[in-house]
Amino acid sequence: MRPRRVFLPAILFLTSVCLPQSALRAAPDGFDQALATLLAVGPEAKGNAEASAAWKVVASADSESLVPLLEAMGEANPLALNWIRSALETIVDRDLAAGKSPSIATLGGFLFEVTQNPRARRFAFELIQRSAPNAAEKLIPGLLNDPAVELRRDAVAWLTKQAADAKTAGDEAAAGLLYEQAIRAARDVDQIKELNATLTKMGRTVDLPRHFGFLMEWKVLAPFDNTGRAGFDTVYPPETGVQLEAKYPGKNGEIGWQDLVSADPYGMVDFNKLFPDLIKEVTGYAYTEFDSAEARPAELRLGCKNAWKIWVNGKLIFGRDEYHRGARIDQYRMPIDLQKGKNTILVKLCQNEQKETWTVEWQFQLRVCDSTGTAILARNRPPTPSPDAVAKK
Amino acid sequence: MHSRSLALLLLLAPAFPASADWPNFRGPRGTGIAEDGATGPAALTEETLAWSSDLPGRGLSSPIVVGDRVFLTCSSGPLQDRLHLICFAAADGKKLWHREYWATGRTMTHEKTCVAAPTPASDGKRVFAIYSSNDVFCTDLDGNLLWTRGLTYDYPNASNSLGMASSPVVIDDTFVAQIENDSESFAVGLDVLTGANKWKIDRPKAANWTSPVVVGPAGQEIVALQSSKGILGVVPSTGSEVWNYSEGAATMASSAAFGDIIYAPSNGLTAFKAASNGASVEQLWRQSEQRPGTGSPLVLGDKGYVINGAGVLNAIRLKDGERLWRIRLKGPFSSSPIATATHLYVFSEPGIGQCVDLTGAEGVVTSEVDLKETILGTPSLSGNAVYVRSDKHLWRFGK
């Protein structure tokens, strides 16, 4: 199936500003095989020796090979992406030094194929910026809802500027709408935080947990022991099966599952809300269910400064035994496959022995989204809890 | 004292490269000193500023110098996942080439640091750029990619949420890097031709930002891997243990080494002799009051220099660690000092470059320059030039 094309007027515009195209030249002998060699690289230097020779062949091509190389990025693993990118840069630099500019119309055509690799499309956009900055500038507004976060960011920044200009001009209504349009399009956390701050000052409320897709309502079972950090590898009962009505011997006596609802705008699930004595050297579990409308690929994105493990539908996805080195939204990205209907999510969260004030946190923030960071909302997602309601509970 | 220092340097000179290159963090063998008779600039002033060049991203890494070229790394983007390797002409700062890659490992760091924290290394023919994401790119001197590795891509729990910063070294045909952190912690020796593992050894599971240093004569080099547990000497080509100093060491300030003696930030400052023939280490002295701050100690001839956490430069006698003199500099410092036989150069976090004359009975700050930008990276030295970078600029002092 052909990739979906968009923005025909934009292509026509680009054609109108097309710079002199490179003289046609066939790709060098062995180009296809060399490109295949680059695509075959893998972990632990697999294929590096062959790729080193193949890279020279690929990089000896001229600008006529730009689009085939950009398209190949769609098949590339993260390592191969860099091999191809480096060849592309070498080709472009050499041609530009020789006074040959890439075809802006051709690059534009690639840019508008939204199913192509997002980074490849960003690379094409930056080549347009380099050769025809005015054309690139005019393209930005049309990228507001682009599936490539790398492209969407510029459009969000552009729209934010329009909103600020409207506000400066005294048109609060227009400014508010434009800011809201910008935050709905935004996927980068820094832009979302900045826009939310502005909208909040204007008296507008943004449902941030829903925007991100943070999971807010959990059942928590804790504390189990984590003395000497041994709890990370200890298999406690929830790892072999979650039974929400069961009681277990915990570190300090019998324990059972408790409700924990987050009211944090950024979805922080804080175990210390249940254990205000700030207990240390403990392990806990959080469990929730996610009702997916369809079977589909998705990402779990976690921010956490405690040691943790995550299971989806009983399968261990990843775990990490690092404590208190810092956390941020989307710190860890984990691809998963959601099944249609009920999906179970189990988080193991370990707290260590450190006593410093910056080691108090025993918490995580977890969201479900697609690979662009767009929230995937469960069919059983409850309304976003209000801080007041949570406080009363 | 100056002539004695110079004589000692000349005596040991055959053990070191003869070029004016500054091929990795803190120069040849990670000593922080110019071992080839480099003079450095006579002063750090606006008058001795030769050029400055704009940079496309952040960085704490040092510039390295190979022949007439200067290589530098940066990182950019909202997630700091765009990795830059740039080559400048040493003579005029003109950008000769610029390569950009995408990080394959995690890019989260403490906000003070960034993904371009480790300094690249070179063997004179190739450049090896490594980043906090544990991505390694090997290019020739013209920027042609020779190989790449994603060490977090390969070993998914190898990362530090505060950021990685250890800078690698290259000995003969082995690239040595410490990928040490709380989780999947290891050191690795990679084949410089292909990037394949020649060896990989487990290391203490603890955050560690120190860089390896090289000890021993040419042909019998040992790489000293420092961590909170101590310092492990390994054969660079195999990773085999040669000796083990197990009395703990700093995780930020690296050691200094000269000949077969290591001056380690351990229980203050500890000097020990580490033979390359498998003998155990022999402690020479320990000075508990000499505590390097973030920057690493420096040894030059018969003296050592330590900048403590209060920004005081201490000169010590290398034979016993006794303090000779001390002066307060304008700090605070994140970077390490570097030196020629006559001058020490250091840059503070607020961007004050200070040149200390070492030829008298006591050190004297003879010149300083205010770059008005945050400087966290260690400067580099080649010929009559000192290079230093911020998040925005690369400067060369010495015309």
Side-chain angles (χ1 to χ4, degrees):
Chain A
M1 194 177 89
R2 294 279 304 164
R4 186 159 58 91
R5 291 173 182 274
V6 296
F7 290 125
L8 181 60
I11 293 177
L12 296 173
F13 169 74
L14 281 176
T15 306
S16 72
V17 299
C18 175
L19 296 181
Q21 196 168 341
S22 313
L24 288 175
R25 192 179 85 189
D29 290 344
F31 177 86
D32 290 344
Q33 181 58 46
L35 181 54
T37 301
L38 297 189
L39 289 169
V41 296
E44 297 195 306
K46 175 178 171 277
N48 267 4
E50 297 81 2
S52 190
W55 184 90
K56 292 184 178 69
V57 175
V58 173
S60 70
D62 71 6
S63 296
E64 290 304 307
S65 298
L66 291 188
V67 168
L69 288 172
L70 290 167
E71 288 174 341
M73 286 181 162
E75 305 166 44
N77 65 39
L79 301 169
L81 270 180
N82 279 322
W83 281 98
I84 296 171
R85 180 192 174 109
S86 182
L88 279 164
E89 285 183 334
T90 303
I91 293 166
V92 171
D93 285 355
R94 187 176 55 239
D95 277 8
L96 286 174
K100 294 190 291 184
S101 295
S103 164
I104 302 303
T106 303
L107 288 170
F110 179 83
L111 171 66
F112 302 136
E113 291 188 4
V114 296
T115 57
Q116 296 285 359
N117 180 285
R119 284 179 157 171
R121 294 178 62 229
R122 177 74 205 187
F123 186 89
F125 177 73
E126 290 181 6
L127 285 183
I128 295 171
Q129 276 186 318
R130 195 166 161 183
S131 296
N134 289 336
E137 188 74 19
K138 289 182 170 61
L139 291 175
I140 287 174
L143 300 170
L144 187 64
N145 289 301
D146 197 281
V149 177
E150 294 88 341
L151 293 166
R152 183 184 287 232
R153 180 180 177 83
D154 287 357
V156 170
W158 173 84
L159 188 57
T160 303
K161 172 76 166 51
Q162 306 310 304
D165 289 347
K167 193 163 184 239
T168 303
D171 191 346
E172 288 271 330
L177 287 172
L178 291 170
Y179 279 126
E180 190 167 332
Q181 188 182 14
I183 199 169
R184 284 173 183 265
R187 295 293 177 271
D188 286 334
V189 174
D190 60 329
Q191 287 187 325
I192 292 169
K193 286 188 170 179
E194 185 181 333
L195 286 162
N196 179 60
T198 303
L199 283 163
T200 301
K201 280 184 195 165
M202 296 175 74
R204 291 173 175 251
T205 303
V206 180
D207 188 344
L208 287 172
R210 188 176 179 85
H211 181 85
F212 280 102
F214 284 118
L215 304 181
M216 308 294 280
E217 299 201 1
W218 296 81
K219 297 282 189 183
V220 166
L221 181 66
F224 292 104
D225 192 23
N226 190 32
T227 302
R229 307 189 184 190
F232 181 78
D233 288 323
T234 302
V235 178
Y236 291 111
E239 297 182 30
T240 53
V242 172
Q243 298 178 54
L244 295 176
E245 305 306 320
K247 302 290 183 187
Y248 302 98
K251 180 173 182 174
N252 302 317
E254 186 178 79
I255 58 175
W257 292 92
Q258 305 177 68
D259 290 326
L260 180 55
V261 177
S262 171
D264 182 75
Y266 295 100
M268 193 62 78
V269 180
D270 183 0
F271 278 30
N272 285 331
K273 301 268 190 206
L274 296 177
F275 305 98
D277 292 340
L278 303 179
I279 52 179
K280 300 290 286 187
E281 298 193 287
V282 287
T283 296
Y285 292 86
Y287 173 81
T288 194
E289 294 177 353
F290 185 98
D291 186 4
S292 177
E294 58 180 335
R296 58 167 299 171
E299 282 191 8
L300 280 185
R301 295 192 181 183
L302 175 77
C304 185
K305 62 184 297 197
N306 303 93
W308 56 272
K309 291 182 181 178
I310 289 183
W311 293 260
V312 174
N313 296 326
K315 178 186 172 190
L316 178 64
I317 302 299
F318 198 66
R320 177 161 176 78
D321 52 345
E322 180 186 66
Y323 292 88
H324 300 299
R325 298 299 184 189
R328 75 175 180 196
I329 295 170
D330 295 352
Q331 187 176 0
Y332 304 99
R333 293 175 55 173
M334 294 159 278
I336 59 167
D337 289 313
L338 289 174
Q339 58 194 23
K340 184 175 181 179
K342 187 174 94 171
N343 294 267
T344 63
I345 300 173
L346 178 68
V347 179
K348 181 176 189 174
L349 197 65
C350 300
Q351 173 66 296
N352 71 351
E353 75 292 345
Q354 287 177 273
K355 302 295 185 194
E356 297 91 338
T357 54
W358 43 271
T359 67
V360 165
E361 292 89 351
W362 188 22
Q363 60 191 24
F364 68 92
Q365 52 196 156
L366 183 70
R367 68 187 186 116
V368 182
C369 59
D370 66 14
S371 61
T372 71
T374 302
I376 299 174
L377 301 178
R379 286 190 300 198
N380 63 333
R381 182 182 180 86
T384 298
S386 75
D388 289 345
V390 170
K392 282 176 187 166
K393 280 187 182 179
Chain B
M1 296 300 276
H2 162 47
S3 58
R4 192 176 169 198
S5 301
L6 205 54
L8 272 168
L9 280 173
L10 291 172
L11 188 67
L12 290 164
F16 304 115
S19 74
D21 291 351
W22 190 267
N24 47 258
F25 179 58
R26 296 168 69 217
R29 302 162 69 96
T31 57
I33 61 171
E35 295 159 333
D36 56 0
T39 59
L44 294 177
T45 64
E46 291 181 5
E47 288 68 37
T48 62
L49 175 63
W51 50 258
S52 69
S53 289
D54 293 341
L55 299 178
R58 299 186 60 193
L60 285 73
S61 59
S62 300
I64 62 169
V65 184
V66 181
D68 58 0
R69 295 180 173 203
V70 181
F71 301 88
L72 186 65
T73 59
C74 302
S75 56
S76 66
L79 296 176
Q80 291 284 302
D81 59 353
R82 301 183 68 156
L83 314 178
H84 306 258
L85 173 61
I86 311 165
C87 175
F88 298 91
D92 58 10
K94 180 185 175 187
K95 191 190 295 178
L96 299 177
W97 52 262
H98 176 186
R99 292 285 169 265
E100 193 178 320
Y101 310 100
W102 289 297
T104 69
R106 285 181 285 277
T107 57
M108 180 179 169
T109 68
H110 187 281
E111 62 186 17
K112 185 173 180 178
T113 179
C114 70
V115 177
T119 296
S122 177
D123 61 0
K125 294 178 284 189
R126 307 168 190 85
V127 176
F128 307 86
I130 184 168
Y131 302 82
S132 175
S133 58
N134 296 321
D135 288 292
V136 187
F137 300 94
C138 174
T139 73
D140 65 19
L141 300 186
D142 294 321
N144 297 306
L145 185 62
L146 300 176
W147 54 262
T148 177
R149 287 291 301 272
L151 294 172
T152 300
Y153 185 78
D154 293 347
Y155 312 110
N157 253 322
S159 68
N160 182 335
S161 297
L162 288 173
M164 306 286 287
S166 178
S167 299
V169 294
V170 182
I171 302 107
D172 296 328
D173 56 359
T174 308
F175 166 92
V176 178
Q178 290 179 255
I179 313 295
E180 302 188 12
N181 57 91
D182 290 340
S183 188
E184 197 166 3
S185 189
F186 60 89
V188 69
L190 305 183
D191 185 333
V192 297
L193 295 178
T194 66
N197 288 7
K198 296 178 74 173
W199 54 268
K200 177 172 176 278
I201 57 173
D202 290 340
R203 295 285 292 152
K205 280 169 65 84
N208 181 18
W209 298 273
T210 64
S211 298
V213 296
V214 182
V215 295
Q220 300 175 56
E221 292 97 338
I222 298 298
V223 182
L225 307 176
Q226 181 175 321
S227 74
S228 58
K229 302 290 184 190
I231 303 176
L232 181 72
V234 302
V235 177
S237 60
T238 65
S240 304
E241 177 179 332
V242 180
W243 47 259
N244 187 14
Y245 168 83
S246 58
E247 296 182 38
T251 56
M252 283 197 267
S254 301
S255 295
F258 207 70
D260 58 358
I261 299 176
I262 292 180
Y263 303 88
S266 167
N267 304 293
L269 192 68
T270 300
F272 65 88
K273 192 169 186 177
S276 59
N277 59 5
S280 59
V281 300
E282 174 193 352
Q283 182 175 313
L284 302 177
W285 51 259
R286 174 170 289 167
Q287 290 290 347
S288 58
E289 74 277 13
Q290 292 297 336
R291 295 188 173 273
T294 305
S296 304
L298 183 152
V299 293
L300 179 64
D302 57 359
K303 294 195 190 73
Y305 300 93
V306 175
I307 299 177
N308 65 21
V312 174
L313 171 64
N314 291 269
I316 60 170
R317 192 164 56 203
L318 276 189
K319 71 176 183 182
D320 54 14
E322 289 297 324
R323 187 173 68 217
L324 298 171
W325 52 260
R326 61 181 171 178
I327 57 173
R328 182 173 295 278
L329 300 175
K330 291 180 180 174
F333 297 96
S334 273
S335 64
S336 299
I338 57 172
T340 64
T342 57
H343 289 85
L344 179 146
Y345 307 91
V346 66
F347 289 79
S348 69
E349 287 187 12
I352 308 294
Q354 293 155 86
C355 176
V356 183
D357 187 338
L358 302 174
T359 58
E362 294 194 351
V364 178
V365 177
T366 53
S367 62
E368 63 178 48
V369 65
D370 185 357
L371 294 175
K372 297 183 170 59
E373 291 182 35
T374 301
I375 304 288
L376 302 175
T378 295
S380 303
L381 186 56
S382 178
N384 70 338
V386 161
Y387 302 89
V388 66
R389 67 91 52 85
S390 67
D391 280 345
K392 296 175 182 170
H393 295 101
L394 170 66
W395 293 272
R396 169 180 166 145
F397 289 91
K399 295 180 178 174

